[in-house]
Amino acid sequence: MLRSGSSPSGTRGPDDAAVARVAPSGRCRPSAFRPRRRCGRVTNTVAALAHELSVAVYFAVYRAGEVEALVAADAPGAQAVVERADFREAAHAHVIGQCLLAHLDEVECRDHFARCPMRPRAPNSGSHEADFRRRLAARRRFQPVCEQGKYAPGTLCVAFPAPAAYATATLAVSAPSDKAERLRPAVNSLRSRVGALISSLSFSISI
C-alpha cells in the first residue's frame, strides 16, 4: 500500500498523511489515519478503473508544494506498490512525482528541491538535481511517464499527466513485471479519456 509519510515541515497531521486504500472488491478500506469521509466519488472512480483495467490505479495531485497520493486501488493480482521511501519527499524517484514535477515552472521546481533535496531514497532513484531537471525539461510535457522497477523493483508503472487546462494532477497505473501484458491495454484505454477523468477527480477533491 502506498502511504505518505510526514511532511518535511512536520506540520501535516495524521488525517492528512495517509492514502485511502481500495480493495479489489471496490470497497474503500481506509487506513486507521484516514477518516471515512474520504471514501467518496474519487475513491469509487479509482476503484472502478482498477477493476476495469486489471491493474493498480493511483490518483495524485501536487498541492501546497508537495505530492499528495490521494487514492491507491488494487486489482486482483496487481496490488498498489509498497512505499519504499517517503512518497512525497522522494517525488523524483517515481513516475507519479516525475509527472507532477514536470508541470512546475523554474521557481517552483527550485523551491521543491530546496525543501526536498534529491537523495537516493529508493533503489536507482539518483541524486543529481541538475541532471534530473534537464531530463524533465527535455520530456514532452503532456506525454505519459514510464518506468520499470525504479521506485518499486519488479513493478512496471505508467503515469498520465493532466492536460494543460486542468489541475496539476495525475492518474497512474502499475502491474507486476510478470503481468506486464496488462499495462498496454490499460494505457491504450486511458489515453483517450484521461483528461476527462482527471478533470472530474480534481473537481471532486476541490469541493
Side-chain angles (χ1 to χ4, degrees):
M1 157 180 180
L2 264 181
R3 185 190 301 277
S4 298
S6 60
S7 68
S9 63
T11 58
R12 183 171 288 272
D15 282 353
D16 294 319
V19 174
R21 179 64 176 270
V22 186
S25 64
R27 289 171 27 182
C28 182
R29 296 187 302 176
S31 75
F33 302 105
R34 176 66 68 180
R36 287 188 178 273
R37 61 183 169 78
R38 290 290 187 180
C39 293
R41 181 178 178 184
V42 173
T43 299
N44 292 337
T45 299
V46 173
L49 280 172
H51 178 76
E52 172 194 344
L53 302 173
S54 297
V55 293
V57 179
Y58 315 81
F59 176 62
V61 299
Y62 193 86
R63 185 165 58 179
E66 64 183 32
V67 171
E68 287 189 61
L70 299 178
V71 180
D74 298 332
Q79 291 195 331
V81 300
V82 175
E83 183 180 44
R84 296 177 178 273
D86 186 286
F87 193 75
R88 291 171 295 181
E89 293 187 33
H92 67 281
H94 48 77
V95 292
I96 288 175
Q98 292 165 26
C99 211
L100 295 172
L101 292 176
H103 280 258
L104 304 185
D105 62 27
E106 182 74 13
V107 173
E108 291 169 328
C109 201
R110 286 184 182 276
D111 176 69
H112 177 87
F113 287 114
R115 289 179 291 100
C116 302
M118 284 184 65
R119 292 191 284 271
R121 302 173 190 269
N124 305 313
S125 64
S127 59
H128 301 291
E129 179 186 335
D131 290 343
F132 176 77
R133 288 172 62 191
R134 277 195 293 271
R135 291 197 300 273
L136 279 186
R139 180 176 293 146
R140 294 178 63 185
R141 192 173 183 187
F142 301 113
Q143 291 299 306
V145 181
C146 309
E147 73 173 26
Q148 180 172 357
K150 189 173 183 180
Y151 180 80
T155 303
L156 296 168
C157 304
V158 180
F160 292 84
Y166 303 136
T168 305
T170 183
L171 270 172
V173 295
S174 73
S177 297
D178 61 359
K179 294 182 172 64
E181 71 280 357
R182 297 187 183 189
L183 273 185
R184 184 179 294 277
V187 168
N188 289 340
S189 177
L190 285 175
R191 281 186 189 276
S192 62
R193 52 188 176 131
V194 68
L197 283 166
I198 289 178
S199 178
S200 174
L201 293 171
S202 299
F203 177 77
S204 295
I205 66 170
S206 70
I207 60 175

